[in-house]
Amino acid sequence: MSGLWQDFRYAARVLGNNPGVTAIMVFTLALAIGATTAIFSVVYGVLLRPLPYPGPERIMAVSEVNSNGRPSRLADPNFDDFRDQSHSFQSIAKYTAEEVSVSGASQPTRTTVAAVTPEFLTVFGVEPIAGRDFTASDDQKGAAPVALVSYGYWTQYLGSPQDLSQSHLNINNAVYSVIGVLPAGFRFPDDVEVWLAADREGENLSRTAHNYSGVGRLKDGVSVEQARGDISTIARRIYQSSNEKNDYLLRDGRVVPLQNSITGGVRSPLLILLGTVGFLLLVACANVANLLLAQAAARERELSIRIALGAARGRLVRQFLTEAFLLSLIGGVLGVLAAQWGVAGLLALAPETLPRLDSVSVSVPVLLFACLLSTAVAVGLGAFTAARATRGELRNGLVEGGRGQAGSQSSQRVGRAIVAAQIAITLVLVIGAGLLGRSLLKVLEVDPGFRVDKIVAMDVSLPWSDDPKAKPAQGVFFSNLIDRLKQIPGVRSVGASSALPMTGGLPDGMFLLMTQNEVPKTIDGFGVLFQQKERIGNADFCVATDGYFRVLGIPLIRGRMFDERDGANAPHVAVISESLAQDRWPHKDPIGHTIEFGNMDGDLRLLTIVGVVGDTHEYGLDEAPRPTVYVNLFQRPSAVMTVAMLSDADTRSVSSAARGILRDLNPEIPTRFRTFQQVYSASLGSRTFNVMLIGFFGITALLLATAGVFGVMAYSVSRRTREFGVRVALGATSGDVLRMVLGQGMRTILIGVAIGIVGSFALTQTVSSLLFGVTATDPVTFAGVTLLLIAVALLACYIPARRATKVDPTVALRYE
Amino acid sequence: MIQLKNIDRSYKTGAGQTWVLRRVNLDIREGEFITVMGPSGAGKSSLLNVLALLDDQWQGEYWFREQPVHEMKRKQRSELAKLNVGVVFQSYHLLDDLTVQENIDLPLSYKDIPRARRQSLVADTLDRFQIVAKKDLYPSQLSGGQQQLVGVARAVIHKPPLLLADEPTGNLHSGQAKEIMELFRELNQQGTTIVQVTHSEANAAYGSRTIQLRDGWLVADTANPALTHSAEAATQT
């Protein structure tokens, strides 16, 4: 023990005697350990941390699989069959969520409300902390409307009453009694504050109306594979026996752990980030290893004396391990502190689409990771340095005279090998960053099909009603709202649509091409028509006003826009996107053709196509435009709309004026304001996040590798002073020495570059899913980054090489 | 061959200026074998560095075969040295990463000599010094005497008219030292002018002339007895 303490004291003294070098090593390790810890905290919080429910590994996400082999939501009858026929789940539920206006509490709010079946809380192992859960009778058609609220909503908007009998909420023109309060922290799905019974107004009997997601808790002893097989069997049975065999009917069923379902989409990018920062850690450790190697070479005499005085080799190894441990300990502590800031920064920059961000923090498991990481770094560096420093015949360090410097040369060779490895890793990192950066630029080059700037968006959700008489009132409301918004100073144009581009997409479905004469007399007749492939088409369904296209700058390609002829009682009209026109009416004019799209809003009246508009990248710049049918808000009213205002005035003043107008029309309807620029930027959030992080790691690795090259070259020059003196004494010019030193440096760099290029070809395939418009082996990126790295490394070699030419042979050759 | 006139060499130190050579006047004739002796710090190695054209921070006049070295630029001096001077070091100063053959070839690699000619010269030298069998060995595989032999071979491969040796046998035992000194005698007899620095009287006996340095002054020269008396007088004042 006293020996260990002695080693520790000596290690502190050795490190303290070289404060500059020690500071560089500590800073390098802190940077790398801190960055790795910060990224790991995100990976842990998002991917690894168990869901905060009892037995989270037993909770499954249940879904259908569509004709494209992709998971899709559940149709009511299909969910019922899964629930009734499966033997794998002790509880299973369906759920959906949307943002609606909720009033009746202390103030009206735009709140995310979920519709769930009675076993929903049972699946999660959660019970209300006040009141009661849903029962089967609450979910029957015609049952009294009841609601569960979150703890946060209960405290913030209801005043935390213990007696819930006086708490009621107005949602979609119905008054809901609050029957229970859920525990603090429970908000599944994300952001939900209120839960309602799903089937109080009856089920949708279609097996192709996919409105719900599914969750289930496995029975004890049932594995995921068994449950998967069970659901798959039921799904195939449904397909075989169904009369609705079309592209929207399920082909199979899917069961995956709920955690995987939530985080699956971000698993790959996060693991790529973790791998990237791991590379940075390697580059940093390589730098520190080289510095330790140089220090060890300079201590050859000390080691020889220790051996001569009786030290065993193991004792020397322990000394080096202690020094490395001390370095890593300090670096690790500073790194964890840096990680705190790093995590805060990551959370600020993280895209909204990254799930479970509230689980991200520097928690105990993350600290444990940092501790293990620091220990691994310490052991790695210490073992490496000890192995190099204690190899060979150490007593030779005591011999004076010029019998050779084999040990020094060996150290230099190892140093050059480390630098080559650094260059290789850095090349891979910077190429990865380059590919992502070019992808982002390619995405930004895509014409979105709409204007982005100077648009203020106002989300309005009227109370939902199935009463046909309520629909015209919705149209009138929005008409009045739009007319008044147009009067706001600075507002040039106002329009509305059921969803702005890049906000999560529009509902889609199948429409029928048919004339008035072909309209079936019965519902079954529609089913027959849907079997005729030449009559059907797929498209997104959007409710809009003519002003919407003006505000967003979506061009009219052919025909006309909605106008005053298209009143509520006039024949219904539609405008379609250019890609839909080309797809369903190739080489023909779609103007005047009629379609039926009633499965989207229940209105079976035909729509006459009056215009074709430009395509928009509704789902993102990196996704192809989807075919879209736009219907007129004033003919096919919708309760949930986003009003868009094109304005030169200040956003705040427009928002304030618009809020006042809405309150004037109906004080019970809350709203939310955003600029469309914010929406657009958020849609690029993931891509930008990846580019920024990997770019930061790449640049840091480049700086570290450059420092590594410089350090190894400088060390090599300093150890070869005698050689340069001899060469000059024998006739070498400055140019000869410069060329020789640079040439040796470049050899190391080019070896590293060659390895890095091979590695890049192999590894960039892992980021191919994140790329757009460039291949994983894009030659421009590869060539550009390679040249950049060679140029930077050459510069790092040049300064020590110049120093070599200044060697005075009379000093270098002086007998020591 | 060489005339040095009033050569001074000094270094700036914290205390002011330290003189290592003071008003050195020396004439060296072709074919001479000169020994430079004196106590440590007398300026022997400094004088050799000046003669070798490795040092250009001196003042005075230096004539090499009637060419004014003191008026040449550094590049011209380097060229002159490359062609005319060979240096043998006490510590051999062989390059550890190069074989015997490569070490001997090193001075030729800095001249514009075709590869075939260089290979021929190296082969001749290896043969002349009877070290053909060792041509692929590294310095660490040779004895001290063998290393110095290689050092001498390297110094004379380009047949320089002037050979400078700084304590060439300082790291050798007497047997090896004798071999090296016999080699020097042979080279001198073949026409090479040799200037050696040594502490050894035995080595000095191989030379035809001895000069003494003390505190940077040239105080004695066996070729100029009058110098001894005037130098003694100068140092006593």
Side-chain angles (χ1 to χ4, degrees):
Chain A
M1 197 63 189
S2 65
L4 209 55
W5 175 239
Q6 194 179 22
D7 287 346
F8 196 80
R9 276 189 12 240
Y10 187 72
R13 198 180 306 159
V14 165
L15 294 176
N17 283 344
N18 294 286
V21 174
T22 301
I24 290 172
M25 290 194 284
V26 166
F27 174 75
T28 305
L29 287 177
L31 176 69
I33 292 174
T36 309
T37 303
I39 295 297
F40 181 77
S41 68
V42 176
V43 170
Y44 178 78
V46 174
L47 296 182
L48 302 177
R49 193 173 196 160
L51 294 176
Y53 316 118
E57 72 285 355
R58 306 296 290 169
I59 303 176
M60 300 292 126
V62 181
S63 61
E64 299 178 12
V65 176
N66 64 19
S67 56
N68 293 327
R70 295 214 192 104
S72 79
R73 305 178 87 199
L74 299 165
D76 283 346
N78 298 339
F79 167 76
D80 291 343
D81 285 349
F82 287 165
R83 180 194 59 203
D84 298 336
Q85 297 174 28
S86 166
H87 306 293
S88 303
F89 295 94
Q90 55 178 278
S91 52
I92 187 169
K94 70 185 183 193
Y95 66 93
T96 189
E98 61 176 346
E99 206 172 48
V100 300
S101 298
V102 176
S103 59
S106 58
Q107 64 185 70
T109 56
R110 283 185 65 81
T111 300
T112 305
V113 172
V116 303
T117 48
E119 289 193 331
F120 181 77
L121 292 185
T122 310
V123 169
F124 290 97
V126 169
E127 288 179 359
I129 58 168
R132 64 171 180 87
D133 191 2
F134 292 129
T135 61
S137 57
D138 292 324
D139 202 37
Q140 300 294 322
K141 187 171 179 179
V146 292
L148 297 169
V149 297
S150 71
Y151 183 86
Y153 193 91
W154 178 60
T155 53
Q156 191 174 0
Y157 297 111
L158 294 180
S160 316
Q162 292 303 317
D163 177 9
L164 297 171
S165 62
Q166 304 305 313
S167 299
H168 302 282
L169 301 176
N170 293 325
I171 305 173
N172 291 336
N173 280 332
V175 177
Y176 288 78
S177 301
V178 176
I179 60 167
V181 179
L182 298 189
F186 182 82
R187 289 173 76 183
F188 189 90
D190 271 346
D191 300 327
V192 168
E193 305 271 14
V194 178
W195 290 260
L196 309 176
D199 296 326
R200 196 181 63 82
E201 295 182 6
E203 292 190 359
N204 186 325
L205 299 179
S206 168
R207 288 192 182 269
T208 57
H210 301 103
N211 295 320
Y212 289 94
S213 302
V215 281
R217 179 178 284 273
L218 294 175
K219 282 181 179 168
D220 292 339
V222 173
S223 68
V224 177
E225 289 70 32
Q226 285 171 320
R228 198 172 282 147
D230 189 12
I231 293 294
S232 178
T233 303
I234 300 168
R236 287 166 200 267
R237 199 183 305 143
I238 293 172
Y239 177 76
Q240 293 303 327
S241 60
S242 174
N243 296 327
E244 296 180 66
K245 279 195 179 57
N246 55 49
D247 285 345
Y248 283 86
L249 183 63
L250 84 173
R251 295 295 190 271
D252 204 339
R254 184 170 176 261
V255 175
V256 295
L258 180 63
Q259 184 155 352
N260 291 4
S261 168
I262 293 170
T263 61
V266 299
R267 172 176 290 273
S268 179
L270 282 180
L271 291 180
I272 288 170
L273 271 179
L274 192 62
T276 305
V277 81
F279 275 0
L280 177 66
L281 180 67
L282 284 176
V283 171
C285 286
N287 259 16
V288 175
N290 258 337
L291 288 169
L292 287 172
L293 205 64
Q295 287 195 321
R299 292 165 65 187
E300 197 180 324
R301 187 177 156 77
E302 173 207 331
L303 298 179
S304 302
I305 292 169
R306 285 176 181 270
I307 290 270
L309 294 175
R313 201 171 289 263
R315 191 74 173 74
L316 297 181
V317 168
R318 197 176 83 187
Q319 178 63 44
F320 282 106
L321 280 172
T322 307
E323 288 168 23
F325 178 76
L326 187 57
L327 262 180
S328 296
L329 177 68
I330 301 170
V333 167
L334 292 176
V336 167
L337 287 175
Q340 298 273 16
W341 293 317
V343 167
L346 284 172
L347 290 175
L349 291 172
E352 292 168 3
T353 50
L354 196 63
R356 307 194 69 200
L357 278 178
D358 54 339
S359 300
V360 173
S361 65
V362 182
S363 55
V364 169
V366 173
L367 287 173
L368 194 59
F369 168 82
C371 189
L372 287 173
L373 184 66
S374 299
T375 305
V377 167
V379 169
L381 288 175
F384 171 76
T385 313
R388 295 301 310 169
T390 61
R391 67 192 279 275
E393 188 49 63
L394 287 173
R395 283 197 179 79
N396 285 346
L398 292 175
V399 173
E400 302 278 358
R403 290 284 294 194
Q405 297 178 344
S408 168
Q409 286 151 13
S410 174
S411 291
Q412 289 175 45
R413 269 196 296 275
V414 171
R416 286 197 292 272
I418 291 173
V419 164
Q422 273 185 308
I423 297 282
I425 295 170
T426 302
L427 190 74
V428 172
L429 270 182
V430 182
I431 283 178
L435 288 172
L436 289 173
R438 285 200 76 209
S439 292
L440 180 60
L441 289 176
K442 291 278 186 189
V443 166
L444 292 174
E445 283 171 13
V446 172
D447 177 10
F450 45 76
R451 178 189 291 119
V452 174
D453 55 334
K454 298 187 181 180
I455 298 176
V456 178
M458 179 168 80
D459 298 321
V460 178
S461 298
L462 300 179
W464 182 268
S465 175
D466 282 334
D467 181 1
K469 296 194 185 101
K471 290 267 184 189
Q474 291 168 352
V476 168
F477 176 87
F478 280 110
S479 177
N480 290 339
L481 177 62
I482 289 170
D483 285 341
R484 290 189 60 176
L485 290 173
K486 283 177 183 171
Q487 309 306 316
I488 296 174
V491 171
R492 285 195 260 147
S493 190
V494 181
S497 80
S498 42
L500 285 180
M502 298 183 171
T503 56
L506 295 164
D508 68 321
M510 277 197 299
F511 60 85
L512 280 172
L513 280 74
M514 62 180 177
T515 64
Q516 192 60 50
N517 298 334
E518 294 167 327
V519 176
K521 302 278 188 289
T522 63
I523 292 292
D524 287 342
F526 283 96
V528 170
L529 290 176
F530 272 113
Q531 303 298 320
Q532 298 170 19
K533 285 207 180 317
E534 68 281 3
R535 283 190 176 275
I536 60 176
N538 292 301
D540 285 356
F541 181 82
C542 182
V543 180
T545 67
D546 60 321
Y548 169 72
F549 301 94
R550 267 198 305 278
V551 169
L552 262 71
I554 299 171
L556 179 67
I557 307 288
R558 203 183 303 157
R560 68 168 179 87
M561 192 47 67
F562 307 138
D563 58 30
E564 60 283 349
R565 287 174 277 178
D566 306 316
N569 297 318
H572 286 193
V573 296
V575 164
I576 64 172
S577 66
E578 192 176 8
S579 57
L580 177 57
Q582 285 165 358
D583 180 50
R584 290 310 283 120
W585 293 274
H587 313 299
K588 288 188 224 170
D589 187 358
I591 305 295
H593 286 250
T594 49
I595 62 173
E596 187 278 316
F597 212 169
N599 59 348
M600 302 309 299
D601 61 355
D603 192 329
L604 298 179
R605 282 175 281 186
L606 294 185
L607 296 158
T608 304
I609 296 169
V610 296
V612 178
V613 293
D615 285 321
T616 60
H617 286 263
E618 186 73 37
Y619 296 88
L621 295 177
D622 49 359
E623 296 219 24
R626 293 269 296 266
T628 309
V629 172
Y630 299 92
V631 298
N632 189 345
L633 168 65
F634 304 120
Q635 292 183 328
R636 305 280 268 251
S638 171
V640 180
M641 298 293 285
T642 296
V643 179
M645 293 165 277
L646 179 64
S647 167
D648 296 315
D650 173 59
T651 304
R652 250 182 234 177
S653 64
V654 171
S655 306
S656 176
R659 185 176 283 115
I661 291 170
L662 181 63
R663 199 176 299 128
D664 203 36
L665 288 173
N666 188 333
E668 291 293 303
I669 298 174
T671 185
R672 175 176 63 168
F673 288 93
R674 293 171 288 174
T675 65
F676 193 39
Q677 181 65 56
Q678 288 170 331
V679 172
Y680 180 77
S681 299
S683 73
L684 296 170
S686 286
R687 204 171 278 282
T688 312
F689 183 66
N690 289 337
V691 168
M692 280 199 300
L693 276 187
I694 295 183
F696 171 73
F697 295 147
I699 291 170
T700 306
L702 184 63
L703 291 172
L704 286 174
T706 307
V709 168
F710 177 83
V712 163
M713 289 295 298
Y715 175 70
S716 171
V717 163
S718 72
R719 301 293 285 183
R720 295 167 69 191
T721 305
R722 182 187 72 90
E723 178 194 338
F724 297 136
V726 170
R727 288 180 181 268
V728 169
L730 295 177
T733 62
S734 302
D736 290 324
V737 173
L738 187 72
R739 269 191 298 278
M740 182 187 73
V741 174
L742 276 181
Q744 287 167 351
M746 282 312 297
R747 254 196 301 284
T748 303
I749 292 164
L750 290 176
I751 289 171
V753 164
I755 297 170
I757 288 176
V758 170
S760 295
F761 271 109
L763 289 171
T764 50
Q765 298 300 331
T766 58
V767 302
S768 56
S769 61
L770 303 180
L771 301 180
F772 176 82
V774 292
T775 62
T777 55
D778 177 48
V780 171
T781 306
F782 270 66
V785 170
T786 301
L787 288 174
L788 170 69
L789 193 60
I790 291 174
V792 169
L794 192 61
L795 196 62
C797 287
Y798 181 74
I799 298 169
R802 279 283 294 174
R803 211 177 284 163
T805 67
K806 304 285 187 231
V807 167
D808 183 346
T810 61
V811 174
L813 298 174
R814 190 170 296 148
Y815 172 65
E816 291 176 7
Chain B
M1 184 189 201
I2 293 173
Q3 287 100 45
L4 300 181
K5 294 182 181 174
N6 290 322
I7 296 294
D8 285 322
R9 178 62 165 107
S10 63
Y11 294 94
K12 277 198 177 62
T13 62
Q17 204 112 354
T18 300
W19 296 93
V20 294
L21 291 174
R22 291 173 181 248
R23 277 188 260 150
V24 171
N25 292 284
L26 180 64
D27 289 342
I28 299 174
R29 287 181 288 279
E30 298 267 4
E32 283 197 285
F33 191 154
I34 298 177
T35 302
V36 180
M37 301 185 81
S40 287
K44 304 187 295 297
S45 295
S46 301
L47 178 63
L48 224 60
N49 287 336
V50 171
L51 288 172
L53 298 166
L54 292 178
D55 184 2
D56 52 10
Q57 299 300 314
W58 42 267
Q59 284 86 45
E61 292 181 16
Y62 179 165
W63 297 85
F64 188 96
R65 285 183 166 175
E66 294 169 15
Q67 295 177 75
V69 175
H70 49 280
E71 290 174 7
M72 290 181 187
K73 291 196 172 26
R74 181 173 286 189
K75 198 169 173 185
Q76 290 170 298
R77 295 183 191 192
S78 296
E79 284 302 310
L80 188 68
K82 209 188 288 189
L83 292 171
N84 295 286
V85 182
V87 185
V88 179
F89 304 98
Q90 178 178 4
S91 300
Y92 329 132
H93 287 314
L94 301 182
L95 297 187
D96 301 310
D97 282 340
L98 306 182
T99 62
V100 166
Q101 184 174 1
E102 288 164 346
N103 266 287
I104 292 173
D105 178 58
L106 197 57
L108 301 182
S109 68
Y110 297 127
K111 298 173 175 44
D112 292 326
I113 299 176
R115 191 179 164 79
R117 175 99 180 101
R118 273 167 49 193
Q119 285 175 337
S120 168
L121 285 170
V122 170
D124 285 344
T125 302
L126 286 169
D127 189 39
R128 180 182 174 196
F129 285 79
Q130 295 171 3
I131 48 175
V132 177
K134 299 195 181 344
K135 68 181 176 68
D136 293 323
L137 297 181
Y138 288 91
S140 57
Q141 295 171 293
L142 304 177
S143 68
Q146 290 166 337
Q147 288 193 56
Q148 192 57 293
L149 199 61
V150 173
V152 174
R154 183 181 65 183
V156 301
I157 187 169
H158 57 296
K159 296 185 174 50
L162 176 65
L163 181 65
L164 305 172
D166 192 350
E167 299 276 9
T169 62
N171 284 355
L172 306 177
H173 64 65
S174 54
Q176 292 170 328
K178 191 164 186 292
E179 279 179 32
I180 295 298
M181 292 313 299
E182 288 294 333
L183 181 57
F184 280 170
R185 173 178 282 168
E186 194 184 320
L187 289 170
N188 181 241
Q189 284 168 355
Q190 289 165 3
T192 305
T193 306
I194 298 179
V195 179
Q196 68 164 341
V197 166
T198 186
H199 287 291
S200 163
E201 293 292 343
N203 287 0
Y206 283 83
S208 56
R209 175 181 169 191
T210 301
I211 64 176
Q212 296 273 356
L213 291 179
R214 191 173 299 140
D215 296 331
W217 297 96
L218 202 163
V219 297
D221 184 352
T222 54
N224 186 2
L227 173 64
T228 307
H229 299 300
S230 64
E232 276 177 359
T235 54
Q236 279 166 7
T237 56

